[in-house]
Amino acid sequence: MSDTDQRTANATESCDVVVVGAGISGLYAVHRLRSLGLSVICFERGAGVGGTWFWNRYPGARCDVPSMFYSYSFDADLEQEWEWSERFPAQPELLRYLNHVADRFDLRRDIRLETSVTGGTWDEAAGRWLVTTDRGERVSAQHLVAASGNLSKPNRPDFEGLDDFAGVWHHTAAWPEGGVDLAGKRVAVIGTGSTGVQIVPQLAQQAAHLTVLQRTANHAASAMNRPLDAQDQAAVKRRYREFRQASRESAFGIALEMTPGEPWETGPRYPSVFDFSEDEARAIMEERWAFGGGMALQNAFADIMVDLKANEVVAGFVRDKIDEIVEDPETAELLYPSGHPFGSKRLCVEMGYYETFNRENVSLVDVRKTPIERITRDGVRLRDGREIELDVIVFATGFDAITGALLRLELTGRDGLTLREKWSDGPRTYLGLMTSGFPNLFTVTGPNSPSVLSNMMTSIEQHVEWIADTIADLRERGVATLEATPEAEEIWTEHCTAVVAGTVLPLANSWWLGKNIPGKPTVFMPYAGGVGVYRRQCDTVRANGYEGFAVDGEVVPLAGEEGSAVAIAKDALALA
Ligand code: NA7
């Protein structure tokens, strides 16, 4: 009998914590929980560990946060020993790193691959979660940690006729392991978000002809990627502790402004673009463009994200860059982002994207003006009757983000309430960590936490540490259940909406708002208050005896305005 058959034949297994997902969050959760003496079973849908970096193997897949900061900080030896080869790490290197971590900390023995969670039900009488899988496993656990990712449920729009297509199609988030042979092929990419911007230059080099089907042109900054030499690495490694601490206290989970003159330093964040003459402002933006990476440009001036006039200055700069790079003026104009402010959709980071449109074998089609009518046997038909003949269609159409992977777990909390029902008007959480009616369920980088507005590594570590340390703390005190109160959840959810309201962030049809998925409620899902502020809020909640939670059914009142988590946020925002 195989291992799996054996497990399936077994009756309900038992452990302290079930972790869902073995990506960056799940791997660290397994490690941290185990090191606190808890027993863990981790289920992973993929055939390997790595989450995002396991699935997104499309050509050009790369992280746009610098490698030396997009890495775990929990182990000083690990961060000293691992060598990063590039400033912005490519998917194969990230996957190697995460596999190294799994081996180094002996995580695999508690991870069950190719196993999807099909349901989780809170058993009121037992005070435990019963988790089921597609392999027929049933596991009873006191705590359930959803480390299922923010961008892990792909979105493939339901185009009519896809079944008729005689060629092949792939979604970028399920790219075949062995790659796709595109030599001599007519290829189309649908989607021009971060993924589209990364894959287009690569496919253009391989395909006979590449058609880019663009609905919304996004803003992009130059990557200026480069190999990291020993000196670059040593400079960071010497001061890693200091940088990590600064990252934890920062707004975006990365120490952007430290140590002027060093190669990873972006330069200061000036309060306003209007404190400078046009030429001075332009010189600053040129510097940031040449420095590379999205954060350098986006953080050049603090008012970019809160003042539409300031925002337009940077948007104009990006249009000028497009003009400089793209030879055909009509194509350049089509590539101008329009209809949404700079930064109101996730800023893309480009490596040769704009330049790709100077190639003879690449064409750009505006599918906002002439939408895709259907997919046919031979390709894509547009509403104006035009037919684009194709051998391969690539969907770079994104994800049912943030809530998609959580709802797919089909969780049922107290009194038979499902998470789908509870969040039917949008997610509601306390601190993005827990939701009322679902005791002992923790979400890593859940909705209403900084998550995707930050360096995910920093946010993931903070959440995993808060969750694991809380579980261990409760155990030590003999506490069986922790649950967010509806009151705290209400205040937190409203606070999240209030924080983002004064910014340009909600002013686009973005996946942050759920607007990319038909029928999904429109709610700005990440918390925009900043990583450092948020960390203090979480720490304060714990220091105040888990204020806003019911601890074994006993409500711990919110500490009141002064000293409460929400008050810290308000103070911090007033200072910003
Ligand atoms: P995104 O950013 O959601 O981009 C998806 C793209 O696909 C975007 O350009 C969409 O246009 C386009 N899209 C989606 N549906 C359609 C249809 N039906 N027709 C035409 N075009 C469509 O996903 P990514 O994978 O690029 O990036 C996700 C995140 O991963 C990224 O932000 C980083 O954080 C990492 P739209 O803009 O909706 O008009």
Side-chain angles (χ1 to χ4, degrees):
M1 211 183 223
S2 76
D3 222 27
T4 311
D5 295 339
Q6 182 64 52
R7 279 193 253 138
T8 309
N10 283 345
T12 306
E13 295 171 84
S14 184
C15 66
D16 294 329
V17 188
V18 162
V19 173
V20 186
I24 294 172
S25 307
L27 289 174
Y28 186 36
V30 170
H31 176 63
R32 183 90 180 187
L33 288 160
R34 264 187 1 197
S35 61
L36 291 167
L38 295 146
S39 60
V40 181
I41 295 175
C42 173
F43 294 116
E44 165 55 52
R45 195 163 46 92
V49 302
T52 287
W53 304 109
F54 173 85
W55 293 103
N56 287 272
R57 346 173 148 248
Y58 60 85
R62 189 178 289 280
C63 180
D64 55 19
V65 174
S67 55
M68 299 211 67
F69 300 103
Y70 192 81
S71 52
Y72 291 115
S73 74
F74 68 81
D75 187 278
D77 293 336
L78 171 68
E79 71 184 3
Q80 286 298 327
E81 284 162 26
W82 184 265
E83 306 249 319
W84 292 103
S85 69
E86 288 180 278
R87 180 187 189 192
F88 296 112
Q91 176 269 336
E93 185 167 24
L94 283 162
L95 191 58
R96 258 199 321 280
Y97 171 72
L98 294 170
N99 273 286
H100 169 77
V101 169
D103 290 333
R104 184 176 180 124
F105 299 99
D106 188 22
L107 304 180
R108 295 187 202 274
R109 66 185 151 92
D110 289 318
I111 298 171
R112 299 182 184 177
L113 299 175
E114 292 182 276
T115 309
S116 296
V117 167
T118 50
T121 305
W122 175 248
D123 178 344
E124 186 74 48
R128 296 175 73 84
W129 282 95
L130 178 67
V131 178
T132 54
T133 74
D134 61 350
R135 288 180 178 266
E137 289 148 293
R138 294 162 58 82
V139 178
S140 162
Q142 191 177 1
H143 298 96
L144 178 56
V145 174
S148 41
N150 283 190
L151 295 162
S152 44
K153 187 180 175 208
N155 165 45
R156 182 174 56 71
D158 196 12
F159 290 114
E160 206 190 319
L162 185 58
D163 289 344
D164 304 337
F165 184 49
V168 296
W169 61 265
H170 296 284
H171 191 289
T172 47
W175 201 256
E177 206 170 334
V180 182
D181 181 13
L182 300 174
K185 304 265 167 67
R186 298 159 303 173
V187 181
V189 174
I190 305 177
T192 51
S194 295
T195 301
V197 164
Q198 287 187 336
I199 200 172
V200 159
Q202 301 291 321
L203 299 189
Q205 288 169 36
Q206 299 169 25
H209 191 89
L210 179 69
T211 307
V212 179
L213 300 170
Q214 169 190 279
R215 186 166 70 180
T216 307
N218 268 340
H219 295 93
S222 60
M224 303 293 175
N225 190 33
R226 60 180 166 79
L228 282 183
D229 61 25
Q231 220 179 336
D232 291 331
Q233 295 204 53
V236 176
K237 285 183 177 177
R238 249 196 320 273
R239 298 176 56 197
Y240 239 147
R241 296 293 87 205
E242 192 190 332
F243 290 136
R244 298 296 200 183
Q245 193 49 36
S247 298
R248 290 180 193 119
E249 289 166 11
S250 69
F252 303 102
I254 179 161
L256 285 175
E257 299 171 32
M258 293 189 65
T259 57
E262 296 286 8
W264 56 87
E265 191 262 346
T266 61
R269 188 171 186 227
Y270 299 109
S272 172
V273 66
F274 300 118
D275 291 342
F276 298 92
S277 72
E278 245 176 67
D279 286 351
E280 286 166 346
R282 181 159 191 106
I284 292 170
M285 290 185 286
E286 285 287 1
E287 245 175 54
R288 302 300 168 101
W289 183 273
F291 177 85
M295 291 184 184
L297 187 61
Q298 188 153 356
N299 291 294
F301 310 102
D303 53 354
I304 294 174
M305 296 304 283
V306 290
D307 174 354
L308 284 173
K309 283 203 183 104
N311 190 282
E312 176 50 29
V313 176
V314 187
F317 173 77
V318 173
R319 289 196 296 273
D320 290 349
K321 281 289 162 198
I322 295 171
D323 279 341
E324 267 174 38
I325 302 169
V326 179
E327 287 158 10
D328 172 43
E330 263 178 46
T331 306
E333 204 174 325
L334 208 51
L335 287 165
Y336 286 174
S338 68
H340 65 280
F342 174 92
S344 61
K345 278 177 178 261
R346 172 67 153 69
L347 180 61
C348 301
V349 177
E350 64 104 35
M351 283 172 62
Y353 176 70
Y354 290 129
E355 222 176 294
T356 298
F357 293 94
N358 295 335
R359 294 177 66 109
E360 298 238 311
N361 70 334
V362 175
S363 35
L364 180 64
V365 174
D366 179 354
V367 295
R368 180 168 303 281
K369 209 157 88 198
T370 47
I372 297 169
E373 187 177 83
R374 59 168 295 143
I375 292 172
T376 63
R377 191 182 166 281
D378 300 321
V380 166
R381 185 180 307 145
L382 303 179
R383 200 166 290 168
D384 63 4
R386 235 181 326 158
E387 186 128 357
I388 303 165
E389 291 190 358
L390 298 167
D391 305 304
V392 181
I393 300 175
V394 174
F395 291 95
T397 44
F399 301 87
D400 179 357
I402 303 178
T403 50
L406 290 171
L407 295 178
R408 172 163 78 173
L409 300 177
E410 304 299 348
L411 302 179
T412 305
R414 263 189 219 289
D415 305 322
L417 180 70
T418 66
L419 196 59
R420 274 185 200 283
E421 286 160 355
K422 169 151 189 199
W423 286 359
S424 58
D425 292 332
R428 308 184 72 73
T429 74
Y430 182 34
L431 298 168
L433 281 161
M434 299 193 89
T435 188
S436 71
F438 294 76
N440 293 5
L441 165 69
F442 297 88
T443 51
V444 183
T445 65
N448 304 342
S449 77
S451 65
V452 290
L453 293 185
S454 67
N455 173 6
M456 286 301 283
M457 271 288 179
T458 311
S459 287
I460 284 170
E461 285 197 327
Q462 185 259 334
H463 257 200
V464 167
E465 284 160 18
W466 195 95
I467 292 166
D469 296 354
T470 294
I471 292 174
D473 179 39
L474 296 175
R475 285 217 138 195
E476 213 175 289
R477 293 163 42 180
V479 172
T481 61
L482 185 74
E483 181 180 353
T485 66
E487 186 204 1
E489 177 176 295
E490 179 80 17
I491 289 175
W492 184 256
T493 306
E494 276 178 19
H495 169 63
C496 291
T497 307
V499 166
V500 82
T503 74
V504 302
L505 288 169
L507 303 183
N509 292 330
S510 71
W511 56 262
W512 290 326
L513 275 166
K515 283 208 174 178
N516 61 330
I517 305 291
K520 190 165 171 171
T522 301
V523 174
F524 194 87
M525 292 180 283
Y527 176 51
V531 163
V533 171
Y534 173 78
R535 172 182 293 271
R536 283 201 287 134
Q537 291 161 333
C538 292
D539 291 348
T540 306
V541 164
R542 158 113 42 70
N544 288 344
Y546 302 102
E547 62 172 304
F549 285 102
V551 179
D552 269 346
E554 286 278 318
V555 171
V556 182
L558 287 164
E561 266 299 281
E562 208 173 322
S564 77
V566 172
I568 291 176
K570 283 186 185 152
D571 288 352
L573 285 172
L575 290 176

